[in-house]
Amino acid sequence: KRIINDSIEAEKTGLKGTAYFDARWRNPGKRKVSGYGFYDQSIHRASQLLSKENRIAVVINDSSSLFQKGECPDTALYCGWYSLAKYIDAFTWAKGSVGYHIASSECATLKNPGSQVWCKKMLDNGIAATIGPVGEPYVQAFPVPEIFFNFLTEGYLTLAESYIISLPYLSWKMVLIGDPLYRL
């Protein structure tokens, strides 16, 4: 119920806060990359696109360590990777916030009270929508960050539409949690 209420409130008042992107390497620029490098590059592109469009304040971390406790106040959007089943409490989630962490099985133990997976902890701590796999999807099953966040923040497509259009292929392992009709 909180997820739906937060999404409705954000639709009425607008999503407020900062977009935090947690890349693991410096931007490779126009160099062709694949696999993990492709997704890391896409995180950089998502941050650049949102910065250029001036849709929201953007912070990108391209060091080898993830954002640490308390470093991401008022988080509206988030994408990062790879801390498998070890959520880092770096975020204060704004109402209507949307984000995902690229790592395997992050949605497999939502009902386990002791679980430290990213999807569960983000939902427990106030995010309105997240994406995660229930098993090993391989990196290419995740939504491409630059596509997902671009369509989501343009405001023409709903959360579900932005999700489905940004998937390289449909995977039965990937789950979207949130109000499918939520539109920023």
Side-chain angles (χ1 to χ4, degrees):
K1 186 175 179 181
R2 183 212 35 93
I3 290 171
I4 302 299
N5 289 339
D6 286 356
S7 298
I8 290 170
E9 186 175 330
E11 283 181 334
K12 289 179 183 174
T13 63
L15 182 63
K16 295 172 180 60
T18 302
Y20 292 95
F21 292 97
D22 217 341
R24 299 310 283 275
W25 305 303
R26 298 229 183 270
N27 189 352
K30 295 183 187 237
R31 195 173 75 228
K32 187 173 178 158
V33 293
S34 63
Y36 294 122
F38 172 82
Y39 275 82
D40 201 72
Q41 185 178 51
S42 185
I43 290 171
H44 281 281
R45 286 182 179 155
S47 72
Q48 292 165 350
L49 182 65
L50 291 178
S51 291
K52 180 181 172 187
E53 297 292 325
N54 204 22
R55 295 179 191 160
I56 191 168
V58 175
V59 173
I60 184 149
N61 172 20
D62 62 3
S63 72
S64 61
S65 64
L66 294 166
F67 287 117
Q68 295 301 300
K69 187 170 178 80
E71 288 185 345
C72 303
D74 206 25
T75 305
L77 302 173
Y78 166 74
C79 188
W81 69 295
Y82 189 86
S83 175
L84 184 60
K86 292 180 184 164
Y87 177 75
I88 299 171
D89 194 14
F91 313 92
T92 305
W93 300 104
K95 287 213 179 197
S97 54
V98 177
Y100 62 100
H101 190 78
I102 300 170
S104 306
S105 303
E106 290 297 320
C107 206
T109 56
L110 290 179
K111 294 187 179 193
N112 179 345
S115 175
Q116 294 299 306
V117 296
W118 283 77
C119 289
K120 177 181 179 10
K121 298 306 287 181
M122 289 192 297
L123 290 163
D124 287 351
N125 292 333
I127 202 167
T130 191
I131 300 163
V134 296
E136 176 56 72
Y138 302 107
V139 70
Q140 66 271 20
F142 281 89
V144 177
E146 67 191 280
I147 298 171
F148 176 76
F149 288 105
N150 181 52
F151 281 113
L152 184 68
T153 59
E154 277 182 340
Y156 298 111
L157 299 181
T158 65
L159 174 67
E161 291 167 333
S162 299
Y163 168 71
I164 203 77
I165 204 166
S166 64
L167 288 174
Y169 64 88
L170 292 178
S171 168
W172 57 273
K173 297 272 188 172
M174 200 61 65
V175 178
L176 169 67
I177 300 171
D179 178 354
L181 300 178
Y182 179 34
R183 187 185 314 261
L184 299 184

